[in-house]
Amino acid sequence: MNKLLLAPLAVALLSGTAFADTIKIGVVGPFSGPAALQGRNFQAGIDAWLALNGSQVAGHDLEIVYRDLPAADPAQSAALTQELVVGEGVQYLAGYYYTPDAMAAAPILEEANVPMVVFNAATSAIVNASPYVVRTSFTTWQTSTPMASVARERGIDKVITVVSDYGPGIDSENAFVAGFTGAGGEIVESIRMPMNTNDFSPIMQRIKDSGAEAVFAFLPAGPATLGFMQSYVENGLKSAGVALLAPGDLTQEPDLFALGDNALGVLTTFHYAVSHDSPENHAFVAAASKALGSAADLSFPAVGAFDGMYVISRMIEATGGQQDAAKAVEAVKGLAWTSPRGPVSINPENRHMTQNIYLREVAQVDGQYINKEIQTFENQGDPGWKAP
């Protein structure tokens, strides 16, 4: 990173001029391209928080500055992050849908004196990339580990794993394999797919040939997950009784209508379902659906953004509007609150969410397809995190 580009910001900090009546929050995410729905959900979560809580914190107006990153692109993520810090003077960074983008931005934080609140990216190691990273989403270790217990409890002995070949996919595979084999199960084969895979028929044939009773799958939510699910059905795996197990990325709510009855009965473990029954979630869903213009488009990145805005608001209160990343992050270590997803807290050791993980089954209720919560794994940390 060019330190000269950050020099004006450092001068401002030393002169005490970083205090702002308007506090800018820079948000990086996919607001166009194949994953644009996820970026729209970032914005919907932010808009929902502002609608329910107002656009001022501790007497300071909030201004959200968006930057579009249509696909995973670490170099562009770093460039956009630096431009937000230097060109826009943001005091907080947020968003980051893909792990490589969050990792690329993290080295900028300490010199810039800016915290990053990750709304989605789910590799355990992200929080180790900088002491100024806080995560309000989940990790794939956290959402995948309980599924191993579910599989064994349901008498499944042999599983094939199929994951996207990047950080979260590898974390998801490792989490499931560790839990499943530790409980006496057998992994008959493990397949890692390039992230740009869109023809899943050869994968489905390998699943058939493996003799597995179930497939454990992880792909980042978006067009690929919809294609994978459709291929699973069209290639006869569901009708052959090969169970599909996955973290909840695979059955995000906007895809359920397209999947229809083919998705019924699919089991996933995840931190949030739009159908979660609580007063906090009912208020959130109403506000976020209004921001999106359609309740059918609401998905899990919105709750990461909503809770991320709450965390940023507490940082602003703790610093009195001053730009002090260390103080801001310290103030939210151990923070606990009731989220639309349920009770949550920030682990002071790794700045990651402790939260419930729910076993969900795709069901049809009142004519709508939902992820129906049927079991709760309470107060789950991140089993994949290792101290640096």
Side-chain angles (χ1 to χ4, degrees):
M1 180 175 52
N2 187 340
K3 294 186 178 181
L4 292 176
L5 291 176
L6 290 178
L9 180 60
V11 170
L13 291 172
L14 290 171
S15 64
T17 59
F19 185 89
D21 290 328
T22 296
I23 293 176
K24 290 185 177 182
I25 302 166
V27 180
V28 177
F31 300 104
S32 67
L37 177 63
Q38 315 307 330
R40 289 179 57 213
N41 270 272
F42 276 176
Q43 188 165 2
I46 292 168
D47 289 348
W49 192 89
L50 294 171
L52 294 174
N53 297 279
S55 59
Q56 281 195 340
V57 174
H60 300 277
D61 293 323
L62 303 183
E63 180 182 344
I64 314 299
V65 183
Y66 291 98
R67 289 293 182 269
D68 183 23
L69 190 60
D73 187 337
Q76 183 65 3
S77 176
L80 291 174
T81 299
Q82 185 163 293
E83 193 275 327
L84 283 167
V85 169
V86 178
E88 292 287 348
V90 302
Q91 287 182 230
Y92 296 89
L93 288 161
Y96 301 96
Y97 186 70
Y98 294 109
T99 284
D101 300 328
M103 295 293 278
I108 296 171
L109 304 180
E110 289 184 71
E111 186 175 354
N113 191 26
V114 174
M116 173 197 287
V117 180
V118 176
F119 289 173
N120 188 75
T123 301
S124 293
I126 292 173
V127 292
N128 291 344
S130 168
Y132 292 166
V133 173
V134 177
R135 178 167 23 219
T136 57
S137 54
F138 59 98
T139 71
T140 49
W141 266 92
Q142 188 180 46
T143 57
S144 301
T145 297
M147 184 54 82
S149 298
V150 171
R152 293 299 290 142
E153 288 169 2
R154 292 175 178 244
I156 295 172
D157 296 318
K158 295 183 177 182
V159 172
I160 182 172
T161 65
V162 180
V163 303
S164 294
D165 191 8
Y166 78 127
I170 294 167
D171 275 6
S172 188
E173 175 194 284
N174 289 338
F176 182 83
V177 169
F180 190 68
T181 58
E186 178 186 352
I187 302 298
V188 298
E189 187 177 354
S190 291
I191 300 172
R192 295 180 180 177
M193 305 174 292
M195 283 188 68
N196 61 356
T197 301
N198 52 35
D199 178 7
F200 299 104
S201 294
I203 302 292
M204 298 304 155
Q205 188 59 51
R206 288 178 67 178
I207 294 171
K208 288 180 184 178
D209 294 343
S210 73
E213 301 161 77
V215 53
F216 174 83
F218 171 84
L219 302 88
T225 56
L226 183 58
F228 185 90
M229 288 282 291
Q230 289 173 328
S231 186
Y232 162 76
V233 173
E234 291 168 1
N235 282 274
L237 288 167
K238 182 176 182 181
S239 60
V242 178
L244 177 57
L245 312 172
D249 314 71
L250 211 66
T251 61
Q252 66 165 343
E253 282 81 0
D255 292 341
L256 291 180
F257 178 79
L259 293 169
D261 288 351
N262 288 332
L264 291 175
V266 171
L267 296 175
T268 57
T269 43
F270 217 39
H271 65 298
Y272 177 68
V274 173
S275 58
H276 181 72
D277 186 14
S278 72
E280 293 80 12
N281 191 48
H282 297 161
F284 164 72
V285 168
S289 298
K290 183 177 179 180
L292 279 167
S294 168
D297 289 338
L298 185 59
S299 189
F300 63 90
V303 80
F306 184 85
D307 286 332
M309 286 297 294
Y310 173 71
V311 169
I312 291 171
S313 75
R314 295 299 298 267
M315 289 178 168
I316 293 169
E317 290 172 354
T319 57
Q322 294 281 354
Q323 189 159 345
D324 187 335
K327 185 175 181 179
V329 171
E330 192 64 31
V332 300
K333 291 180 179 178
L335 183 66
W337 70 100
T338 302
S339 159
R341 68 188 92 175
V344 299
S345 62
I346 295 177
N347 183 323
E349 188 177 14
N350 60 19
R351 293 158 277 113
H352 170 67
M353 297 280 268
T354 298
Q355 58 192 327
N356 292 345
I357 300 299
Y358 305 95
L359 174 63
R360 306 103 49 82
E361 182 177 25
V362 177
Q364 193 169 26
V365 177
D366 297 328
Q368 301 293 320
Y369 296 99
I370 68 168
N371 288 301
K372 183 179 180 181
E373 294 171 354
I374 58 176
Q375 185 179 346
T376 302
F377 297 85
E378 295 183 346
N379 298 317
Q380 300 295 297
D382 178 15
W385 179 74
K386 296 179 177 63

